[in-house]
Amino acid sequence: MAAAAADDRRVPVTVLTGFLGSGKTTLLNHILTASHGKKLAVIENEFGDVGIDDELLAKNTKLQSDEEIIEMMNGCVCCTVRQDLVVVLSKLAARVKAGTLKLDGIVIETTGMADPAPVAQTFFVEDNVKEFARLDGIVTLVDAKHIEQHLDEEKAEGVENESVEQVAFADRLLLNKTDLVSADDLDRVEKRLKTINGQAPIVRCEKANVSVDSVLNIKGFDLEKTLEMDPEFLNTDGEHEHDDTVTSVSIVQPGEVDLDQFEGFVGNLLRNRGADIFRMKGVIAVAHAKEKFVYHAVHMIFGGNFMDAWASDEERVSKLVFIGKNLDKEELTASFQGCLATQELSEKKRKMLRFAVGDEVECRSAKGWCKGKVVALMYREDFMSPGMVAPYQIKLDEGDLIYAPEDIDELIRRPSS
């Protein structure tokens, strides 16, 4: 098989799959920024009608001149937009044939809800695609922290468990987020994966950081092996049913967001809906911040950072995507709109403060507790952290100006008698 693949002049295709939040886009970013000298086409697919990852990937594509394009397809690539995949591949084939494009490989990142089998099937049942490209390998990312939960999830009769399918059809398994679990957990997870797929090598990694050679041109896909596992693999009329309790909710909200309110909004979701929300991600336009706040969450694990600056002519719009069970779009939208940095919210927060301008207080500083007087409310300067607004600015009795980052007794209190 390896020798045949080596003689095959068709363009090799890598399919990146894995459940929501397993690290597919992080891996793709590694590929886009690595110095491998390959000219790649990247096809990126999201479950939902608002793309978050495409903007981040586009930035890295510009950094890596050898990458050719990113095509975005919204929906599940294994069903509703599979024909779109054929169209994209056909366009690439036409450009290669015309001599206007040279390709060393194609990478397809599927949505976390995709069964890789129908995607792989495309390369064997569509004549135009079959002549142009060969399926090189299915690389499945596995979230070491949450995979057992998803493998164990009970589905209605006839509804497939996407996590099981993604592991079963893998030619290589990347066991990601190993830093979030113990060694015993990793051994147990690996053993579980091998009961589903004993043929695929398992590579452990953190933050999806693996060598490009672990992903590209691995010559891993074997049609005969796949047909032994699934005799109906080439049957294009086979049933393919997703869990309809899992949906996507997208929010596009113009205007700026109060960082404190947004943190409260996210905290409430993680505490009360963490088990049901498989994936959250978004780009937030935070008030008093020149940079975009980019975040992602998998169940109750959240991460976010201020990243690239907003362009001077770019509209400050927040984009959020939620994927999970029993999501209520109206409820989520209304809750998020409560985070908007409006004058009404500012006045409400001001009225909740314990002290007024002119009040004498004690503040905790590097020198210990120091007496002073409140000179400003809702204080903000450019040197402060992005999005931060301090409830108080205080002039100490010794003359220094400081600010209290929170209105709590541990930081600012009434003077002791």
Side-chain angles (χ1 to χ4, degrees):
M1 180 188 69
D7 295 335
D8 197 330
R9 303 302 294 266
R10 292 177 296 171
V11 178
V13 178
T14 300
V15 176
L16 295 183
T17 188
F19 203 70
L20 300 160
S22 58
K24 298 183 297 298
T25 302
T26 302
L27 174 60
L28 192 48
N29 272 312
H30 285 319
I31 295 172
L32 289 173
T33 54
S35 299
H36 48 65
K38 297 180 183 294
K39 199 172 190 70
L40 303 175
V42 178
I43 301 172
E44 212 265 332
N45 175 223
E46 292 203 53
F47 185 71
D49 56 5
V50 173
I52 301 299
D53 299 330
D54 54 323
E55 295 181 16
L56 306 178
L57 290 170
K59 172 179 177 288
N60 282 333
T61 302
K62 292 173 185 175
L63 294 175
Q64 176 62 274
S65 60
D66 286 330
E67 265 70 40
E68 173 61 23
I69 57 170
I70 290 179
E71 290 281 354
M72 272 300 300
M73 300 184 299
N74 294 322
C76 184
V77 73
C78 62
C79 41
T80 58
V81 297
R82 185 180 136 189
Q83 195 56 40
D84 292 349
L85 174 61
V86 175
V87 171
V88 170
L89 291 169
S90 298
K91 287 180 179 178
L92 290 175
R95 291 178 62 187
V96 170
K97 186 175 182 180
T100 59
L101 174 65
K102 179 185 180 298
L103 277 181
D104 296 311
I106 298 170
V107 180
I108 301 172
E109 181 199 352
T110 71
T111 166
M113 295 301 296
D115 173 358
V119 183
Q121 189 184 69
T122 305
F123 297 92
F124 298 95
V125 299
E126 300 285 345
D127 290 338
N128 290 342
V129 174
K130 186 165 55 174
E131 292 175 5
F132 160 65
R134 66 172 175 85
L135 181 58
D136 179 68
I138 297 173
V139 178
T140 299
L141 278 99
V142 175
D143 179 347
K145 177 74 173 176
H146 298 108
I147 185 61
E148 291 174 298
Q149 172 183 341
H150 294 301
L151 292 175
D152 290 337
E153 188 171 359
E154 293 186 7
K155 300 282 187 175
E157 185 177 353
V159 176
E160 65 186 22
N161 184 315
E162 292 86 0
S163 291
V164 173
E165 297 293 317
Q166 290 163 358
V167 171
F169 274 90
D171 299 305
R172 182 154 298 173
L173 291 164
L174 302 184
L175 185 54
N176 194 29
K177 305 186 181 182
T178 56
D179 53 318
L180 300 182
V181 297
S182 68
D184 288 343
D185 289 336
L186 284 174
D187 291 340
R188 185 182 66 252
V189 168
E190 278 200 9
K191 186 176 181 180
R192 177 77 179 274
L193 296 176
K194 288 176 180 177
T195 64
I196 301 172
N197 184 340
Q199 302 298 315
I202 299 175
V203 179
R204 295 184 180 186
C205 55
E206 297 178 19
K207 297 181 175 61
N209 192 359
V210 296
S211 69
V212 173
D213 292 339
S214 298
V215 180
L216 301 179
N217 208 25
I218 62 173
K219 302 177 177 64
F221 188 82
D222 185 334
L223 180 58
E224 291 183 8
K225 181 191 76 174
T226 302
L227 287 171
E228 287 177 8
M229 178 180 68
D230 181 6
E232 297 298 313
F233 172 69
L234 295 179
N235 177 12
T236 58
D237 297 323
E239 292 186 2
H240 176 68
E241 186 177 349
H242 284 301
D243 184 348
D244 59 11
T245 66
V246 178
T247 58
S248 164
V249 169
S250 303
I251 299 173
V252 178
Q253 180 66 58
E256 296 187 321
V257 171
D258 181 281
L259 184 58
D260 286 341
Q261 295 294 116
F262 178 69
E263 289 176 346
F265 164 76
V266 169
N268 180 61
L269 284 177
L270 296 180
R271 285 191 302 272
N272 298 313
R273 298 295 307 279
D276 288 340
I277 297 180
F278 297 157
R279 189 82 162 98
M280 290 194 297
K281 53 187 173 181
V283 178
I284 307 298
V286 174
H288 310 294
K290 298 177 181 178
E291 301 85 6
K292 301 173 183 180
F293 184 75
V294 180
Y295 75 93
H296 60 91
V298 180
H299 290 293
M300 300 181 72
I301 298 178
F302 179 90
N305 285 295
F306 284 97
M307 297 182 69
D308 302 319
W310 293 91
S312 58
D313 59 348
E314 186 176 6
E315 183 181 7
R316 293 172 70 92
V317 175
S318 296
K319 298 179 181 180
L320 305 85
V321 173
F322 305 85
I323 303 172
K325 287 189 169 185
N326 307 313
L327 301 180
D328 185 326
K329 180 166 185 174
E330 290 186 5
E331 179 185 351
L332 287 168
T333 301
S335 295
F336 179 69
Q337 288 176 340
C339 302
L340 292 176
T342 62
Q343 186 63 35
E344 180 182 2
L345 176 61
S346 178
E347 288 301 318
K348 179 180 178 181
K349 294 176 75 172
R350 188 181 294 265
K351 288 179 181 178
M352 293 175 64
L353 296 177
R354 295 179 296 156
F355 304 110
V357 171
D359 284 355
E360 293 184 353
V361 293
E362 285 183 342
C363 299
R364 183 185 290 276
S365 71
K367 303 175 183 177
W369 286 99
C370 301
K371 293 186 177 182
K373 184 176 292 187
V374 175
V375 295
L377 304 180
M378 306 306 291
Y379 170 69
R380 167 73 197 175
E381 292 286 355
D382 286 343
F383 68 82
M384 298 165 71
S385 301
M388 180 181 183
V389 177
Y392 307 107
Q393 184 187 34
I394 304 100
K395 184 173 183 178
L396 300 180
D397 289 350
E398 60 189 42
D400 292 341
L401 284 169
I402 65 170
Y403 65 87
E406 294 183 75
D407 188 13
I408 56 177
D409 274 338
E410 288 78 11
L411 297 175
I412 182 169
R413 65 191 186 192
R414 299 187 184 281
S416 55
S417 53

